[in-house]
Amino acid sequence: MSPKTLYDKIWDAHLVDTTEDGTSLLYIDRHLVHEVTSPQAFEGLRMSGRDVHAPDKTIAVPDHNVPTTPDRVNGIENEESRIQVDALDKNARDFGINYYPVDDIRQGIVHIVGPEQGWTLPGMTVVCGDSHTATHGAFGALAHGIGTSEVEHVLATQTLIQTKSKNMKVEITGKLHPGVTAKDITLSVIGRTGTAGGTGHVIEYCGEAIRDLSMEGRMTVCNMAIEGGARAGLIAPDETTFEYIKGRPHAPKGAQWEAALAWWKTLYSDDDAHWDKVITLDAGEIAPVVTWGTSPEDVLPITATVPAPEDFSGGKVDAVRRALEYMGLKPGMKLTDIEIDTVFIGSCTNGRIEDLRAVAEIVKGKKVKDGMRAMIVPGSGLVRAQAEEEGLADIFLEAGFEWRLAGCSMCLAMNPDQLSPGERCAATSNRNFEGRQGRGGRTHLLSPAMAAAAAITGRLTDVREVM
Amino acid sequence: MDKFTKITGVAAPLPLINVDTDMIIPKQFLKTIKRSGLGVNLFDEMRYQDDGSENPDFVLNKPAYRSAEILIAGDNFGCGSSREHAPWAIKDFGIRCVIAPSFADIFFNNCFKNGILPITLPQEQIDMLMKDAEKGENARMTVDLEAQTVTTSDGETFPFEVDAFKKHCLLEGLDDIALTLEKAPAIQSFEAQAAVSRPWV
């Protein structure tokens, strides 16, 4: 048998049908659904008289629109948001799919809830009408975002029409220095490859620094595979993965666990598998990084200075000129001199318990800089509960952070949490696009530890100086 | 789905790289539960000023391009979120074809589901098309899917590649779901097999 990559193996295990031109029908094991990209798909089912093919493999949770302030128990004030969440409630009920409503403690960001509840398992195919579905690749599951037409297609058939992507290997050798995290790895990779560097590929992340990461860290890395343009990111499952999964509500139990484990242990890329593209980074050379522009590829170590348009070539020259104007930055200024108005900690990239622990470690006994808005939005109700149990919430409140309920919140600002024009935010989320966090808002992406440091000093800060 | 065969129309030049889906349709317009009516908010933040009036400098607000049917853009068009609201807005505005050196994966797929043809051409050819588009409404381009060609107002023709299955679906306006449901027996047999080999799924 010819050697295969992990992607090849998962692909082959889910192939329902292939036509001569390579167009394939792939079986989908898990379909995650949220309120923004699904209403038109359910409407389509109703109009054509179709049913959900596999409701037991379909999991829905509202996350994008939900307010994260305590008053949400009184309902959602914004009418359009309320209608969308109500539509999901009704669709979940009508079609009999698994559902975590807003008032369920298990509610949260769909990409945090899935793994937390044990829905996401190695070797699965996982899709969701959301580009950050890439997150689930951390388990060695082939997971990617789809559009609403494809959501309808999966609801109706439990399959997806696909053409196979190419294989790309991203190896992170060696060990990370203190203060450098999974977020710095994933941003640094995008800084190297560019936001189109992974286009047409599925990335497998490997190497010592990836193996050393917890599941939370691995999810952060895979989450941003999409920002590198890749269809999906993958990390081969290992003991860390199995330990995380064991005992979760929807993980296999007993004899099924043993059978699953035996198969999961075969899920790795063979030694002589073919790679279409290979990128290698030395973990020891990765520094804490921040973004300075309006594309996730605009990444630099915190010790650097703002670049000039002339430092680039091609279409990027104009793009950088536009980005610097939008961001209100001048070439040559030190990144650590950039003052921040707001700190947002949360999102499917960095809203898990480990992220909150990293923040607590930095801010314990310290205060958020006067006049700054600083909020922490846990990724799920269970993350929130755990943070309270571990005493992290007390540390945050003591330091002056707002301690919110679970949701996507200011990552994409569909709920009331938005930036005002010109407001500058240090964010642990995944996109720094123009207007992403609010019209005219300015976003700097960074790790939770770096965001915590910025909250204390009021400017972009090298976390290694406050550790 | 609407068929796409051949169009001749005005092409609007948008010489920006990394045009993301937040730029194409900002999040405040994702709260709809319909597919229609998004064209008025296409490129909202670039198209309108803070007071809600049109930004006269934005290409789609210029008289020559108000009824553009083709868009010429830079590298990595449609990156970011998977929101199908992006192609819905483009289509609702009246644009049926986007030509760029490269596209983000999910956006590219979403176009085909909505009767929009995304065409990838080399940067040098995009540069030529961009120049042609800058001539305004007299410069009408022709995109012929059957022949797989783009023809400029001067009659210069560039061939393009397109996936055979996607081409077939666009030309015929086929519904993917109906096509897949024809394969229901294969899906059922896959499920029966998986119930044995991976019962925990």
Side-chain angles (χ1 to χ4, degrees):
Chain A
M1 221 164 45
S2 61
K4 290 177 176 182
T5 63
L6 171 57
Y7 171 52
D8 298 336
K9 290 180 182 179
I10 302 175
W11 175 273
D12 291 350
H14 290 82
L15 215 47
V16 175
D17 183 61
T18 303
T19 54
E20 274 171 31
D21 66 1
T23 305
S24 301
L25 198 61
L26 213 57
Y27 194 80
I28 301 303
D29 293 324
R30 293 286 180 264
H31 186 191
L32 308 173
V33 175
H34 65 67
E35 78 278 20
V36 178
T37 55
S38 68
Q40 295 87 350
F42 284 109
E43 185 200 44
L45 286 187
R46 285 198 180 87
M47 278 164 50
S48 51
R50 292 174 178 140
D51 209 352
V52 174
H53 180 84
D56 55 325
K57 291 171 179 160
T58 311
I59 300 101
V61 58
D63 55 7
H64 283 57
N65 273 293
V66 297
T68 59
T69 42
D71 60 1
R72 84 175 184 199
V73 293
N74 306 325
I76 301 174
E77 202 173 312
N78 180 284
E79 191 187 354
E80 290 171 300
S81 292
R82 191 174 63 241
I83 289 172
Q84 251 183 3
V85 172
D86 287 350
L88 187 66
D89 280 346
K90 179 173 162 45
N91 289 328
R93 213 171 38 239
D94 287 359
F95 290 97
I97 62 183
N98 298 287
Y99 189 50
Y100 303 102
V102 178
D103 59 0
D104 190 310
I105 191 171
R106 297 167 297 176
Q107 179 271 344
I109 306 171
V110 64
H111 307 308
I112 291 187
V113 173
E116 205 167 67
Q117 292 301 317
W119 289 113
T120 306
L121 300 172
M124 280 184 163
T125 46
V126 181
V127 297
C128 174
D130 192 288
S131 58
H132 290 109
T133 310
T135 313
H136 307 264
F139 291 80
L142 176 59
H144 58 87
I146 54 178
T148 299
S149 295
E150 290 178 317
V151 169
E152 186 178 339
H153 190 280
V154 177
L155 287 173
T157 69
Q158 206 58 27
T159 64
L160 200 58
I161 300 169
Q162 288 278 287
T163 45
K164 200 171 174 196
S165 302
K166 292 179 182 161
N167 280 289
M168 176 168 170
K169 177 159 90 168
V170 173
E171 187 173 16
I172 315 293
T173 59
K175 293 203 176 292
L176 293 172
H177 290 299
V180 185
T181 67
K183 185 64 166 284
D184 300 300
I185 293 179
T186 203
L187 281 171
S188 297
V189 170
I190 299 162
R192 164 81 83 86
T193 63
T195 48
T199 302
H201 294 76
V202 165
I203 295 176
E204 181 176 339
Y205 299 94
C206 61
E208 186 183 358
I210 298 292
R211 286 282 139 235
D212 284 350
L213 292 175
S214 65
M215 284 317 295
E216 286 84 352
R218 293 178 189 187
M219 284 189 255
T220 300
V221 170
C222 289
N223 173 275
M224 291 191 71
I226 182 69
E227 265 63 61
R231 175 162 298 174
L234 281 172
I235 295 173
D238 60 10
E239 288 306 322
T240 304
T241 321
F242 309 143
E243 194 167 319
Y244 178 97
I245 295 168
K246 197 164 191 179
R248 295 201 175 256
H250 296 279
K253 314 264 182 316
Q256 288 212 353
W257 170 263
E258 295 306 325
L261 199 59
W263 187 58
W264 295 345
K265 286 182 175 172
T266 68
L267 297 175
Y268 52 83
S269 289
D270 297 329
D271 283 341
D272 36 6
H274 170 76
W275 299 98
D276 299 287
K277 202 169 179 178
V278 178
I279 303 279
T280 307
L281 261 72
D282 175 357
E285 288 178 10
I286 299 176
V289 293
V290 295
T291 63
W292 49 267
T294 54
S295 167
E297 70 190 13
D298 300 339
V299 173
L300 280 172
I302 182 65
T303 49
T305 56
V306 175
E310 301 76 50
D311 299 341
F312 298 84
S313 61
K316 192 71 185 167
V317 177
D318 279 344
V320 169
R321 197 168 287 127
R322 184 184 167 92
L324 292 181
E325 191 181 328
Y326 181 87
M327 294 296 289
L329 298 175
K330 294 262 180 296
M333 76 185 282
K334 287 165 75 174
L335 292 173
T336 47
D337 285 342
I338 297 174
E339 292 189 1
I340 297 295
D341 305 306
T342 295
V343 169
F344 167 63
I345 294 168
S347 85
C348 59
T349 315
N350 283 123
R352 285 169 285 266
I353 190 69
E354 179 183 276
D355 302 315
L356 303 190
R357 288 180 191 139
V359 173
E361 204 171 304
I362 302 293
V363 304
K364 189 169 186 177
K366 302 194 176 98
K367 292 282 182 202
V368 168
K369 174 101 173 168
D370 267 354
M372 177 173 287
R373 170 158 75 139
M375 68 168 89
I376 301 179
V377 186
S380 73
L382 290 175
V383 168
R384 181 179 154 94
Q386 189 174 350
E388 287 177 346
E389 200 177 292
E390 292 182 14
L392 308 181
D394 294 333
I395 294 172
F396 301 148
L397 290 166
E398 183 66 26
F401 283 93
E402 289 179 58
W403 175 235
R404 296 294 192 87
L405 300 176
C408 298
S409 183
M410 201 187 265
C411 173
L412 87 167
M414 271 191 83
N415 79 346
D417 304 326
Q418 301 181 6
L419 295 181
S420 309
E423 189 175 348
R424 192 181 293 282
C425 179
T428 66
S429 44
N430 40 55
R431 291 195 175 127
N432 51 352
F433 297 155
E434 287 180 22
R436 169 80 178 181
Q437 294 192 285
R439 188 180 174 107
R442 293 163 171 167
T443 304
H444 296 276
L445 302 176
L446 32 54
S447 72
M450 287 279 285
I456 292 160
T457 62
R459 55 180 174 78
L460 292 180
T461 298
D462 189 336
V463 65
R464 293 169 296 192
E465 288 169 12
V466 295
M467 278 166 61
Chain B
M1 187 180 73
D2 290 349
K3 288 183 186 180
F4 186 107
T5 49
K6 183 177 176 179
I7 57 169
T8 297
V10 171
L14 187 67
L16 291 176
I17 62 165
N18 294 333
V19 171
D20 57 73
T21 53
D22 280 79
M23 220 181 245
I24 297 172
I25 185 84
K27 69 247 155 205
Q28 61 268 35
F29 306 110
L30 309 189
K31 295 186 179 185
T32 175
I33 55 172
K34 299 194 184 112
R35 284 179 162 94
S36 55
L38 290 165
V40 65
N41 302 114
L42 175 66
F43 296 118
D44 194 84
E45 292 190 9
M46 291 195 277
R47 201 161 140 206
Y48 302 104
Q49 316 199 69
D50 288 343
D51 64 2
S53 64
E54 284 188 0
N55 169 9
D57 296 333
F58 185 65
V59 62
L60 296 182
N61 290 333
K62 294 179 181 170
Y65 300 107
R66 296 183 82 95
S67 54
E69 290 175 70
I70 300 164
L71 189 68
I72 318 289
D75 239 335
N76 201 26
F77 188 87
C79 60
S81 144
S82 65
R83 60 188 69 164
E84 200 161 314
H85 308 67
W88 293 338
I90 288 172
K91 174 93 175 294
D92 196 56
F93 178 88
I95 291 170
R96 295 294 307 277
C97 175
V98 185
I99 309 177
S102 67
F103 290 88
D105 191 43
I106 303 176
F107 175 83
F108 189 76
N109 277 326
N110 283 343
C111 283
F112 285 100
K113 314 285 180 194
N114 291 284
I116 299 170
L117 175 62
I119 297 176
T120 306
L121 287 175
Q123 185 68 53
E124 314 83 70
Q125 296 182 13
I126 295 292
D127 292 344
M128 287 188 253
L129 292 177
M130 199 71 84
K131 277 212 177 73
D132 195 42
E134 281 163 2
K135 292 180 194 162
E137 64 191 323
N138 293 324
R140 293 165 72 82
M141 286 184 202
T142 297
V143 177
D144 186 337
L145 177 55
E146 182 65 63
Q148 296 184 212
T149 55
V150 179
T151 306
T152 66
S153 60
D154 302 331
E156 193 165 3
T157 293
F158 303 106
F160 63 85
E161 296 293 320
V162 60
D163 175 275
F165 175 72
K166 291 186 166 108
K167 175 181 177 179
H168 173 67
C169 290
L170 268 188
L171 283 173
E172 303 297 329
L174 295 178
D175 169 12
D176 274 357
I177 297 178
L179 285 177
T180 297
L181 287 174
E182 287 173 12
K183 295 180 178 166
I187 297 172
Q188 278 158 14
S189 102
F190 179 93
E191 286 178 325
Q193 214 172 359
V196 178
S197 61
R198 297 185 299 132
W200 59 87
V201 176

